[in-house]
Amino acid sequence: MMDTGIEREARLPYYEQLKQLLLAEIAHNDLKPGHLMPSEAEMCARYGVSRTVVRQAVGELVSEGILQRMRGKGTFVARPKLSEQFMESTVGFFEDMTGHGHSVTSTVLSVDRIEVPDLVRERTGNTTATHCTEIVRLRAVDHEVVAFTKSYLNNDDPALLEHLRSVDLTSASLYQILEDSFGLRIESGHRSIEATAASSMMAKLLDVRPGEPLLYIESVGQTAQGTVAEFFRAWHRADRLKIEMDVVRSKRGPARLPPTLA
């Protein structure tokens, strides 16, 4: 029998063995990001396993960020995920990515004066404002679209709207523009993140399959005086982004163990 690398008598499941073989092939052959992997049929023939085994092994490597599927093109060695640390900082997406050496560009879909959406009222606690400024953008890192964002500014000043429509937001930081031109600086706030599935519209915008996982982020930004200045919503491609943050132990003091555990 041909040696496929799969040990038929081993207790380790075939798909797990195949995962290790594929990882070894990537490492030993120094396969670079973008390298096209064999098709399902080729892997079945090469390793003597079923399509079910191949799909499970490849699926787990995709979920772990080692491989990347591209519609109609195949499965490729994935690029390292973009590391974003803005969950613990008031810097925006632009400053975070450029600070790590990436280029960031935006396609501005709209800059409009709109009635304050109910969700914005709920998240910001602002029940008096009737209108706000909305900025809708597709964000690209190193020329690849990775996020769709909506920013809501708690400001109905016509001068602000006109200025934002006139400046080049394609390769600039919104936070920096607000600070430099209007003295509006985001000093603190709250951000949350959760998993969501790509809708058909979001799938088209971010070039993923409908139903694929996205990272959905909400943020409320405040000035030094505690005034809510901005609320934003962002949908990030989960296959291209990971969130990092530092943590510290609570200052409440050491935990006291029950006598039976002390």
Side-chain angles (χ1 to χ4, degrees):
M1 179 182 293
M2 178 180 63
D3 182 10
T4 63
I6 299 292
E7 298 181 17
R8 306 295 168 178
E9 304 302 322
R11 299 178 64 181
L12 199 64
Y14 287 175
Y15 78 87
E16 187 63 39
Q17 293 188 52
L18 180 55
K19 277 182 63 179
Q20 300 307 317
L21 290 170
L22 294 175
L23 286 170
E25 180 178 347
I26 292 171
H28 294 162
N29 295 329
D30 194 25
L31 302 184
K32 304 296 184 185
H35 178 88
L36 177 64
M37 297 296 289
S39 67
E40 283 187 2
E42 290 171 332
M43 288 190 193
C44 289
R46 179 182 301 182
Y47 297 104
V49 294
S50 67
R51 283 184 179 268
T52 300
V53 170
V54 170
R55 287 171 183 168
Q56 186 165 358
V58 171
E60 291 199 4
L61 290 174
V62 169
S63 67
E64 293 169 9
I66 307 299
L67 298 178
Q68 178 184 16
R69 290 192 181 104
M70 298 183 68
R71 288 180 295 177
K73 297 181 181 179
T75 302
F76 299 81
V77 177
R79 284 167 288 176
K81 287 190 176 183
L82 300 167
S83 175
E84 191 165 3
Q85 295 177 308
F86 83 147
M87 290 299 292
E88 58 184 2
S89 170
T90 57
V91 300
F93 181 82
F94 183 91
E95 292 94 333
D96 196 354
M97 289 293 110
T98 55
H100 285 84
H102 300 287
S103 67
V104 178
T105 54
S106 299
T107 300
V108 181
L109 302 181
S110 66
V111 180
D112 288 314
R113 178 181 184 262
I114 66 168
E115 290 187 7
V116 179
D118 290 340
L119 178 66
V120 178
R121 291 187 189 281
E122 178 185 336
R123 296 293 192 267
T124 62
N126 189 337
T127 60
T128 59
T130 58
H131 291 79
C132 65
T133 302
E134 179 193 60
I135 304 165
V136 182
R137 292 173 290 176
L138 276 175
R139 315 300 302 275
V141 177
D142 299 333
H143 310 293
E144 179 184 27
V145 174
V146 297
F148 173 75
T149 67
K150 290 186 175 183
S151 299
Y152 303 89
L153 302 180
N154 186 26
N155 191 314
D156 193 24
D157 183 354
L160 172 64
L161 178 63
E162 188 61 31
H163 183 71
L164 292 176
R165 284 176 170 173
S166 66
V167 298
D168 184 9
L169 286 171
T170 60
S171 58
S173 163
L174 173 61
Y175 280 15
Q176 198 63 54
I177 290 173
L178 292 175
E179 184 174 351
D180 291 345
S181 301
F182 293 89
L184 184 59
R185 179 179 173 84
I186 306 295
E187 292 283 1
S188 63
H190 175 77
R191 286 174 178 160
S192 64
I193 180 171
E194 62 182 281
T196 188
S199 64
S200 57
M201 182 195 75
M202 205 63 66
K204 291 179 181 179
L205 290 170
L206 298 178
D207 192 26
V208 298
R209 289 190 179 93
E212 284 196 11
L214 302 177
L215 296 177
Y216 173 65
I217 296 172
E218 288 186 359
S219 174
V220 177
Q222 299 177 331
T223 66
Q225 292 74 38
T227 302
V228 174
E230 182 218 25
F231 172 70
F232 81 69
R233 309 172 70 197
W235 291 260
H236 291 259
R237 284 180 52 172
D239 64 326
R240 294 297 299 123
L241 180 76
K242 64 179 179 181
I243 303 293
E244 294 185 357
M245 62 186 75
D246 294 325
V247 296
V248 295
R249 187 169 176 81
S250 170
K251 296 181 179 179
R252 292 178 299 177
R256 298 185 63 182
L257 300 176
T260 54
L261 299 178

